[in-house]
């Protein structure tokens, strides 16, 4: 794999230079990639080296620290002080954004590692708390659902018992009431009497009509 010192050995015309530029910030510990805009970059480095000595303007706002080394500017590996000067001047005149790769000093690397460890611990703790919270919420939800199911089953059981108890008591009561009920007054006998009375009256009427007919016939004979 690439090392921090390899950036000084990548030839300018090498086809892998762009690839290194794209990968260096994620594969090499202690490498920092920052985007600069047109205008004053704010970088000052020691004569004859690429080590940053003072920062201002953009460099200070972007977080560059003294002690860092300029490793690459806009895809061009930097090995000498004059290279850094020329490339930064080109980028400034171009009036466009450009990327600068820095190789951090040992103290900055240790600080980054400590921050990374602290962030990792914080995330793990947050995930553990979230897991515990979700587990507690799941248990509460399950208990609430079980309680509702138990209450519904108890209500159904109570309703069925009431129905069974009510139906068993009503049947004997109906039978006793039917046995104790008195016979109907003036029922069939009354009806038969009335029917007999009606038949006698009709027969009398028929006899009367028949007699009248004989009498009529008697009168005709005379």
């Amino acid at each position: 794999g690439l090392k921090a010192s390899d950036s000084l050995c990548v030839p300018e015309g090498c086809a892998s230079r762009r690839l290194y530029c794209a990968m260096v910030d994620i594969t090499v510990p202690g490498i920092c990639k920052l985007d600069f805009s047109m205008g004053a970059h704010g970088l000052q480095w020691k004569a004859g080296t690429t080590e940053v000595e003072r920062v201002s303007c953009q460099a200070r706002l972007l977080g560059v620290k003294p002690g860092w080394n300029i490793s690459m500017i806009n895809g061009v590996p930097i090995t000498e002080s004059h290279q850094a000067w020329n490339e930064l001047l080109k980028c400034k005149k171009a009036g466009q954004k450009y990327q600068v790769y820095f190789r951090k000093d040992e103290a900055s690397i240790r600080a980054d590692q400590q921050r990374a460890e602290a962030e990792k611990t914080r995330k793990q703790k947050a995930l553990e708390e979230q897991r515990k919270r979700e587990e507690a919420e799941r248990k509460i939800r399950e208990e609430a659902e079980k309680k509702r199911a138990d209450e519904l089953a108890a209500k159904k059981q109570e309703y069925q018992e009431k129905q069974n108890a009510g139906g068993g008591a009503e049947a004997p009561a109906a039978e006793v009431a039917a046995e104790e009920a008195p016979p109907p007054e003036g029922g069939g006998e009354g009806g038969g009497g009335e029917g007999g009375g009606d038949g006698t009256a009709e027969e009398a009427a028929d006899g009367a009509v028949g007699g009248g007919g004989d009498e009529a016939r008697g009168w005709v004979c005379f």
Side-chain angles (χ1 to χ4, degrees), residues 127-180:
L127 288 174
E128 182 64 18
E129 291 178 353
Q130 181 180 0
R131 186 189 65 78
K132 290 180 179 180
R133 184 170 59 253
E134 291 176 352
E135 181 67 16
E137 292 175 354
R138 183 184 64 80
K139 289 182 178 179
I140 293 173
R141 186 167 56 252
E142 289 178 354
E143 290 176 357
E145 292 175 355
K146 185 178 182 299
K147 183 178 179 181
R148 284 195 297 268
D150 292 343
E151 290 177 352
L152 181 61
K155 288 181 180 179
K156 287 183 178 180
Q157 183 66 22
E158 182 181 359
Y159 175 77
Q160 290 176 356
E161 290 176 356
K162 288 182 178 180
Q163 288 292 104
N164 295 335
E170 290 176 1
E175 293 177 0
V176 172
E179 292 177 357
E180 294 179 354

Side-chain angles (χ1 to χ4, degrees), residues 82-94:
H82 66 88
Q83 287 180 306
W85 175 268
N86 291 334
E87 293 301 324
L88 287 173
L89 184 61
K90 290 179 184 178
C91 293
K92 182 178 180 180
K93 290 182 178 180

